[in-house]
Amino acid sequence: MGWNHWYTHYCRVTDATIRKAADAMVASGMADFGYEYVSIDDCWMPPPGPQARDAAGRPLTNEKFPDMKGLTGYIHGKGLKAGIYTSPGPTTCQKLEGAWQHEAADARAFADWGFDLLKYDWCGYSKIVAKPTVADSRKPYELMGSLLRQQERDIQMNLCQYGVNEVWKWGGEVGGQSWRTTGDLGLARDTDLPGFYSIAFKNMVLAEYAKPGRWNDPDYILIGWYGSAFKQAEAQPSPLSADETYSYMSLWSLMAAPLFFSGDMERLDAFTLNVLCNAEIIGINQDPLGRQARVVRKTEAELVLAKPLEDGAVAVGLFNLSRESRTIAAAWSDLGLTGKRKARDPWRQVNLAGAEGSVAAAVAPHGVAMFVLSR
């Protein structure tokens, strides 16, 4: 759980941006609900050339990040963790210095600077291998995974390679704790549904590959204020309706996805915080059993997901994919349940009348109804 700068600040990011985000994570209360990583994405490094590395080959920063060790110290001083980004290729997505042929030096630098997470983005590696086989896809991540394990810091690795060659089948073997399963959410084109649905539809069918320490990552949560990825524009209010926003967070919670917000931390309004910081929704996402919800039913009009929880309960999401209000139901036979169950609404945090045989709700267009069904 955490925050990444990309979809709000793009290459405008600075040391001050990251420090303000850390301040906001604590002041807003997000840290109290489990958000802990404050992550720098692309654009902290110079372009390739003599200004990119020192005589020993260690990476140098651009003028906007004059003191990485001081920055991570500031983040750690808030009780938070720090994340950084690079590419295994010669350049990053933004054509800046990548880790190619300097992987060991970069891993040491990230550890020495005090980082706790590395987002390792395939991007520039396509210059090395244009049409990768599975072995090609694994190679740079195996190398960096091995190097990170040699450091004296515990550094998590997120494989950002867009689901190529079924990364969910081998991402854990090469040292990853999470892996992107799709393209960038910010570039997902809306059709009849906002783009986050199409990303979720691709990610949700991979439930069998998720378990503790091995997570399918459908990309970041874009609510509140954020900038268009097509133009890398300044942040604007989200065009999502309230019902769509609740559906977004519900999907990520049920899919046991990493909960990384990428909106503007300096424009956190009450509604955005209400969505991000519902303890029961987060509890479903972070449940120790570590199971991703399975698809119970999907049609053009509705989606039903069910996530088993450690205490024997089942979290159920009833999603309305249509433009009209509709009643959606899920039968015990579909959910693998028997007998009478207690029912709780985790969004409203209220107990409901007990249910037996099925659960149903009237759901708004593009909205969701969630239940936790327990003995």
Side-chain angles (χ1 to χ4, degrees):
M1 295 175 65
W3 173 83
N4 177 286
H5 94 251
W6 184 248
Y7 284 113
T8 297
H9 300 288
Y10 300 103
C11 278
R12 297 181 294 275
V13 67
T14 67
D15 175 287
T17 305
I18 303 302
R19 290 174 188 252
K20 288 178 181 177
D23 292 344
M25 187 170 285
V26 174
S28 68
M30 286 178 65
D32 297 328
F33 286 85
Y35 293 90
E36 60 177 347
Y37 286 95
V38 178
S39 290
I40 309 166
D41 207 278
D42 207 343
C43 300
W44 60 264
M45 64 287 283
Q51 74 281 6
R53 297 186 176 274
D54 66 17
R58 288 171 56 92
L60 299 175
T61 60
N62 62 34
E63 68 281 359
K64 295 186 290 185
F65 288 90
D67 182 6
M68 280 296 201
K69 198 172 184 68
L71 177 55
T72 62
Y74 185 85
I75 294 169
H76 292 151
K78 297 278 181 180
L80 304 171
K81 295 179 180 178
I84 196 166
Y85 163 106
T86 192
S87 170
T91 60
T92 67
C93 289
Q94 299 304 305
K95 313 302 182 187
L96 304 175
E97 177 76 0
W100 172 245
Q101 297 185 328
H102 295 280
E103 293 87 354
D106 287 11
R108 286 194 299 272
F110 300 153
D112 291 347
W113 286 342
F115 284 99
D116 307 289
L117 169 71
L118 171 64
K119 176 181 175 181
Y120 208 35
D121 192 338
W122 177 270
C123 224
Y125 200 77
S126 59
K127 297 177 181 178
I128 306 300
V129 181
K131 296 181 179 180
T133 63
V134 173
D136 293 330
S137 292
R138 291 175 59 114
K139 184 177 180 180
Y141 293 101
E142 284 179 321
L143 174 58
M144 183 56 76
S146 173
L147 291 167
L148 293 179
R149 287 192 294 272
Q150 295 173 29
Q151 308 309 312
E152 295 183 359
R153 289 193 68 79
D154 180 14
I155 302 176
Q156 304 285 301
M157 183 169 66
N158 172 252
L159 282 65
C160 182
Q161 56 83 272
Y162 320 110
V164 175
N165 283 321
E166 300 180 312
V167 61
W168 44 87
K169 293 184 177 179
W170 49 265
E173 297 175 2
V174 300
Q177 285 74 44
S178 61
W179 38 80
R180 285 276 300 281
T181 56
T182 71
D184 289 354
L185 190 148
L187 297 175
R189 297 280 188 180
D190 293 358
T191 53
D192 290 336
L193 291 165
F196 73 84
Y197 285 99
S198 65
I199 296 294
F201 295 160
K202 295 173 184 176
N203 188 77
M204 70 187 187
V205 298
L206 304 174
E208 66 181 287
Y209 302 102
K211 61 182 180 179
R214 303 288 186 269
W215 308 112
N216 294 319
D217 175 11
D219 207 2
Y220 302 138
I221 298 170
L222 300 183
I223 63 175
W225 287 65
Y226 55 91
S228 167
F230 294 99
K231 299 179 180 178
Q232 297 192 8
E234 296 281 352
Q236 299 291 328
S238 169
L240 299 177
S241 69
D243 287 308
E244 289 166 345
T245 305
Y246 283 121
S247 292
Y248 195 159
M249 186 69 177
S250 300
L251 283 165
W252 264 236
S253 175
L254 288 164
M255 293 191 299
L259 295 182
F260 262 70
F261 178 55
S262 193
D264 193 336
M265 292 293 286
E266 296 179 62
R267 289 188 172 112
L268 289 168
D269 57 87
F271 175 70
T272 301
L273 285 171
N274 174 66
V275 173
L276 291 173
C277 296
N278 180 303
E280 295 189 22
I281 297 296
I282 291 171
I284 292 168
N285 173 266
Q286 298 283 306
D287 183 75
L289 186 62
R291 296 279 296 281
Q292 181 175 323
R294 66 181 177 87
V295 180
V296 174
R297 182 173 69 253
K298 182 181 182 298
T299 69
E300 289 187 3
E302 58 190 50
L303 168 68
V304 179
L305 298 179
K307 183 182 194 299
L309 305 178
E310 185 183 43
D311 64 1
V314 176
V316 178
L318 310 178
F319 297 87
N320 183 355
L321 307 181
S322 76
R323 296 179 178 273
E324 305 293 334
S325 295
R326 62 190 292 116
T327 296
I328 303 175
W332 269 204
S333 57
D334 294 328
L335 299 175
L337 301 178
T338 58
K340 191 169 184 177
R341 291 277 172 153
K342 298 175 184 177
R344 183 168 175 83
D345 182 333
W347 275 117
R348 294 175 177 83
Q349 299 188 346
V350 296
N351 293 323
L352 307 171
E356 188 168 8
S358 68
V359 66
V363 186
H366 296 181
V368 61
M370 279 189 68
F371 301 93
V372 176
L373 304 172
S374 61
R375 288 289 188 190

